[in-house]
Amino acid sequence: TPVWGSVLCDNHAILECLVRYGRADDPAVQRGLARMGADMTMTSQGYAWPCVPHSVNGWRGPGRKGEFCPQVTLEALRVYAHLPGAQRPERLLEAAETSLNAWRCRGEAKPYMFGHGRQFKTVKWPPTWYNASSLLGALSSYTELQEQPLHRTALAELVACLAAYNFSPDGTVTPRSCYQGFEAYSFGQKKRPSAWATAYLCVILKRYTDLAGLARKVDVRQLSSSKGGRGTALPPK
């Protein structure tokens, strides 16, 4: 049974696993979902989830107080994507917009320790942390975003970056960055294409089929960098 007193990036990840494995009706999971809904609040960037201190030892992550946490918010968005509408909190779409706006407004503000440069665009495998694939994956369940021109442009940029920074010309994905300890898996090595990594990113891109034409017009080398960057994006390696 998870302990609903740890930091939210742990709580939300545990909840996602339990919900996806059919345990959403468990009383302990219901308590966790209730807390997750209550923790969404107005932050400096809009409605989202901040880094809430640990209820026992008071520890909190490195983000600035009052700002939204990109990782925690994406985890929550993924959890609610597996729940019926009646169990979703109000302003959930606004939280999705807050997440997308972090990319769209990257030249004006940068969440602490969450940049949007080449490391963000190049997936680090397995894709458990904040990057272009996790952002697009979480937001794909909120299709209303694709209906608004401003959001469509931002999503198309992300789609173009995911393709340019991760796919080879033959359409396969050879991991370019990996966490240690996964060398036995195809996604944990950097020497040959990974069928799993290729399929994983193709599934995400398929959810944005309607934006394919717009994404093809994006020159990823001309995109602006994050605040504090050198003005233009570093090209794919």
Side-chain angles (χ1 to χ4, degrees):
T1 300
V3 178
W4 310 116
S6 57
V7 289
L8 298 194
C9 51
D10 292 335
N11 274 352
H12 291 188
I14 295 170
L15 276 172
E16 181 181 4
C17 291
L18 292 170
V19 168
R20 292 184 69 174
Y21 279 88
R23 300 297 298 276
D25 293 332
D26 185 280
V29 176
Q30 285 293 309
R31 290 196 297 273
L33 292 171
R35 172 184 166 171
M36 188 168 70
D39 283 334
M40 186 172 70
T41 187
M42 173 59 79
T43 69
S44 301
Q45 294 78 27
Y47 274 95
W49 280 264
C51 182
V52 176
H54 193 289
S55 63
V56 177
N57 58 28
W59 186 88
R60 63 184 301 274
R64 301 180 187 92
K65 187 176 182 179
E67 291 191 352
F68 96 111
C69 174
Q71 175 69 10
V72 167
T73 299
L74 288 190
E75 291 174 348
L77 290 171
R78 290 200 302 263
V79 173
Y80 282 120
H82 294 284
L83 296 175
Q87 295 186 39
R88 299 181 181 185
E90 295 182 5
R91 300 184 178 274
L92 184 60
L93 182 60
E94 291 183 47
E97 291 176 330
T98 297
S99 291
L100 182 56
N101 286 339
W103 162 261
R104 191 174 60 80
C105 302
R106 64 193 178 279
E108 305 162 19
K110 175 184 174 183
Y112 186 65
M113 294 189 70
F114 287 96
H116 296 90
R118 187 158 57 190
Q119 289 185 341
F120 167 81
K121 301 164 190 171
T122 304
V123 178
K124 188 168 185 178
W125 300 91
T128 57
W129 201 245
Y130 181 71
N131 58 46
S133 72
S134 61
L135 181 56
L136 283 170
L139 297 183
S140 65
S141 298
Y142 302 89
T143 55
E144 300 94 327
L145 296 175
Q146 299 184 39
E147 300 171 2
Q148 302 179 39
L150 195 64
H151 295 328
R152 283 177 61 85
T153 298
L155 289 168
E157 291 175 348
L158 286 164
V159 167
C161 287
L162 190 66
Y165 285 82
N166 296 280
F167 282 86
S168 300
D170 64 358
T172 62
V173 175
T174 299
R176 301 174 188 182
S177 180
C178 305
Y179 290 103
Q180 293 183 350
F182 296 91
E183 293 80 8
Y185 300 90
S186 68
F187 58 78
Q189 52 76 45
K190 299 187 285 186
K191 296 182 179 180
R192 57 188 179 277
S194 166
W196 191 93
T198 302
Y200 181 86
L201 294 189
C202 284
V203 167
I204 293 176
L205 292 181
K206 184 174 176 58
R207 298 171 183 170
Y208 293 94
T209 301
D210 290 346
L211 297 182
L214 188 59
R216 282 193 288 268
K217 298 177 182 178
V218 175
D219 184 349
V220 297
R221 298 167 298 177
Q222 297 302 313
L223 294 174
S224 60
S225 65
S226 291
K227 183 179 181 181
R230 298 181 180 275
T232 55
L234 291 173
K237 291 184 178 180

